[in-house]
Amino acid sequence: MNDTSPEIEQIQFEMMQKLGSAKRIELASEMYMAARESIIASLPSRLSDQDRRTALIERMYGKEFADDFFKERRK
């Protein structure tokens, strides 16, 4: 879904370009952590630590990635 007009998208892009690389990395890290915390908060509390990690990876990167990521650990 993209509900941002091309004009506003261009303004956002220009604003981000004016920031230093360290600030862009900081903002990306903050967005990642906010998404991660939101996903963790939405998971059922009854999950084991391993199931919680698996669910987090599945929601962030997709089931195929999670299956590949945890394949060696499941043997």
Side-chain angles (χ1 to χ4, degrees):
M1 179 176 139
N2 185 355
D3 59 354
T4 305
S5 71
E7 296 83 14
I8 297 301
E9 227 172 76
Q10 182 63 35
I11 291 169
Q12 289 174 328
F13 178 78
E14 290 169 3
M15 289 172 64
M16 290 298 287
Q17 288 299 99
K18 289 179 184 176
L19 299 175
S21 58
K23 185 63 175 175
R24 288 196 303 267
I25 291 170
E26 179 184 342
L27 290 172
S29 296
E30 289 173 0
M31 287 187 286
Y32 170 84
M33 291 306 294
R36 183 179 186 278
E37 290 171 11
S38 177
I39 291 168
I40 289 170
S42 73
L43 297 174
S45 59
R46 62 174 163 42
L47 293 178
S48 68
D49 287 344
Q50 181 60 42
D51 288 342
R52 185 175 299 281
R53 284 190 291 272
T54 301
L56 175 64
I57 297 295
E58 283 180 2
R59 290 194 188 174
M60 292 192 82
Y61 304 109
K63 181 157 178 32
E64 288 181 7
F65 182 88
D67 288 346
D68 286 345
F69 184 79
F70 290 111
K71 186 185 317 182
E72 292 300 316
R73 294 186 171 122
R74 291 180 179 149
K75 288 182 179 179

